[in-house]
Amino acid sequence: MQSIQRDTLRGHLESLVLAVLERSPAHGLEVIRRLEIAGQGSLALKEGTLYPALYRMEAGGLVEAEWEDSTQGRPGASRRGPRRRIYRLTTKGKRQLARGREGFREFVQVIGGILGATP
Amino acid sequence: MNETINETLMKVVERAVRPLRAGKVRKLAMREELLGHLTAIYAEESERRTDERAALAAAIERFGSPAELSRELVGSLTWRDHWAWFSERWAAAIDRTFAWQRGESFARFALRSGGVIAALNLLLFLLVFMVVRLDGDRLDATFASFNRYTFTLFASMAVSEIAFLWAVQSTYHTAFPSYRPRRWVAVASGLAGWTALLVLVGAAFWFGITLSLESVLDQLPRIALCTAAALPLALLLTAWATKQSLQQNQPYERWSRLALDE
């Protein structure tokens, strides 16, 4: 499968993150893992760039975050290292996700219709 | 993970975060979270490779360009972050001017601090002098009294500020010693000594205002009582706040000391 480059993803990254957080709260690394699994390795996303999107969504009230208490069970965490923040979807985030899904369906219908590539 | 690898990862994060115009707390949170992510992906890459430099390069590649990340992080900042950055810059400028700097001798600090206060007082005095001259007044008895009150007030302020800061420094080292156990006798005798000194400053101030030794002796018990009631507690609280502030600044200093110009 051809990889989807970051510029193509840019407009949809927030909806994608909201969608993976809908399943359950997660920290940044887990969000990346879920995106990779869901995208079957086709999403060419630099991992650091997830955080500006998370911070924007947090500032916009779409997600809320709290620091993890413990570093136990983490790879390479033999001693106390940097903590992780766990992100969860807010009610506003759920509404935004619903709007994002509806918007994307319309986008696929319209653009797919023009391109002759509607599923 | 060895310290060199950890420092390399920290530098990647710091290149992205340092240029941001956000407050210390927000930037520290970003640093910790980004470093946590980068450390985790380095651990993953280390499990796949035997060469730790190759693992490091792969982790940095996965993480992305710090410059680009920095540009994207700018877009995630809010007006509160910008305000915190601006107010901290202002506070830092005041701190550089008035506070006791790390490694600075007390004599140098006292001269510098006294010089700044004297310069500000002189400026204020010149302004008042100009206003009075423009008003057509002359250096009459009222103005001469005003001069004496002003000089007495500002000289007392300068001396008591330096004495108070010195007392805080001394109380901090006796009440919260880092290399020996606390001795309450030393704390109490230090507080008593500083209280006595500040009582003398108060008495000198009162003498400068009244020019009467009799009045000073009359007011001395009141000055001593007020100083003894307020000063030891103020010193202990300020020393405690200094300790808290130094502890909070420790992680920030670790990041700010990283040299990025390689």
Side-chain angles (χ1 to χ4, degrees):
Chain A
M1 191 185 289
Q2 204 174 10
S3 75
I4 303 168
Q5 295 303 311
R6 199 175 60 244
D7 285 347
T8 317
L9 274 177
R10 195 176 292 274
H12 307 291
L13 182 58
E14 293 192 3
S15 296
L16 292 175
V17 173
L18 291 173
V20 298
L21 286 176
E22 189 185 30
R23 283 164 47 190
S24 62
H27 51 76
L29 192 63
E30 178 61 22
V31 170
I32 291 280
R33 280 189 193 130
R34 288 181 190 176
L35 284 173
E36 276 174 1
I37 293 166
Q40 297 172 325
S42 299
L43 303 179
L45 184 70
K46 293 293 179 193
E47 299 189 18
T49 57
L50 169 72
Y51 290 93
L54 284 171
Y55 297 153
R56 277 196 306 272
M57 288 191 283
E58 191 181 7
L62 303 180
V63 298
E64 55 191 12
E66 59 183 28
W67 288 100
E68 186 183 52
D69 289 334
S70 163
T71 59
Q72 281 181 352
R74 287 168 45 181
S78 55
R79 62 182 170 82
R80 184 157 180 83
R83 292 172 302 162
R84 299 187 294 201
R85 289 180 90 211
I86 308 295
Y87 292 87
R88 69 182 71 244
L89 213 54
T90 61
T91 310
K92 190 178 174 186
K94 284 175 189 165
R95 284 200 299 268
Q96 178 66 29
L97 177 59
R99 277 197 295 271
R101 280 180 174 139
E102 186 55 37
F104 192 71
R105 267 194 284 272
E106 284 174 14
F107 176 84
V108 169
Q109 260 185 351
V110 174
I111 304 297
I114 294 168
L115 296 177
T118 312
Chain B
M1 181 169 47
N2 65 44
E3 192 48 40
T4 312
I5 298 283
N6 188 44
E7 195 172 306
T8 308
L9 297 179
M10 284 176 76
K11 281 182 180 178
V12 172
V13 170
E14 188 61 4
R15 283 197 180 94
V17 177
R18 190 175 287 181
L20 301 179
R21 293 186 168 191
K24 271 184 186 180
V25 173
R26 178 79 203 278
K27 284 168 81 168
L28 258 185
M30 282 184 189
R31 285 171 174 125
E32 186 169 6
E33 184 169 31
L34 294 174
L35 181 63
H37 189 109
L38 191 50
T39 306
I41 57 180
Y42 170 73
E44 281 180 7
E45 294 298 333
S46 295
E47 284 170 13
R48 291 181 197 154
R49 296 170 169 81
T50 48
D51 180 7
E52 67 177 20
R53 294 184 69 173
L56 185 64
I60 293 171
E61 170 61 25
R62 268 176 67 180
F63 192 69
S65 151
E68 195 171 327
L69 175 56
S70 192
R71 277 194 296 276
E72 293 203 23
L73 283 170
V74 167
S76 73
L77 300 178
T78 64
W79 67 268
R80 286 189 199 88
D81 296 314
H82 293 298
W83 174 252
W85 178 81
F86 176 76
S87 56
E88 282 172 17
R89 295 262 298 184
W90 177 246
I94 292 190
D95 200 47
R96 276 194 301 277
T97 311
F98 292 101
W100 199 340
Q101 304 299 322
R102 182 190 292 273
E104 186 180 28
S105 71
F106 181 74
R108 190 176 186 284
F109 161 68
L111 282 173
R112 188 171 58 79
S113 185
V116 170
I117 292 167
L120 288 175
N121 289 344
L122 185 66
L123 186 68
L124 186 64
F125 181 77
L126 285 174
L127 281 171
V128 173
F129 184 77
M130 278 168 64
V131 168
V132 173
R133 294 291 289 185
L134 285 174
D135 206 28
D137 211 336
R138 290 291 176 264
L139 294 172
D140 58 9
T142 312
F143 193 55
S145 304
F146 172 78
N147 287 349
R148 202 182 75 239
Y149 294 151
T150 313
F151 276 121
T152 304
L153 179 67
F154 289 141
S156 306
M157 277 170 62
V159 172
S160 40
E161 188 212 304
I162 292 169
F164 184 78
L165 291 172
W166 199 349
V168 168
Q169 184 83 353
S170 155
T171 308
Y172 171 73
H173 286 300
T174 48
F176 306 103
S178 54
Y179 55 90
R180 57 181 161 74
R182 179 192 292 126
R183 290 173 56 214
W184 283 110
V185 178
V187 177
S189 61
L191 290 174
W194 288 112
T195 304
L197 183 75
L198 267 294
V199 167
L200 283 179
V201 174
F205 166 72
W206 195 249
F207 182 75
I209 296 291
T210 62
L211 290 180
S212 159
L213 195 59
E214 196 177 324
S215 174
V216 171
L217 291 173
D218 187 43
Q219 293 297 325
L220 195 58
R222 198 169 293 172
I223 294 170
L225 191 68
C226 291
T227 312
L231 189 73
L233 185 63
L235 285 176
L236 281 172
L237 282 175
T238 316
W240 178 79
T242 305
K243 177 177 167 267
Q244 298 295 108
S245 165
L246 288 173
Q247 276 177 349
Q248 279 172 3
N249 266 331
Q250 270 175 358
Y252 175 75
E253 286 185 6
R254 187 169 166 234
W255 287 96
S256 63
R257 276 201 298 267
L258 284 174
L260 302 182
D261 50 348
E262 297 173 6

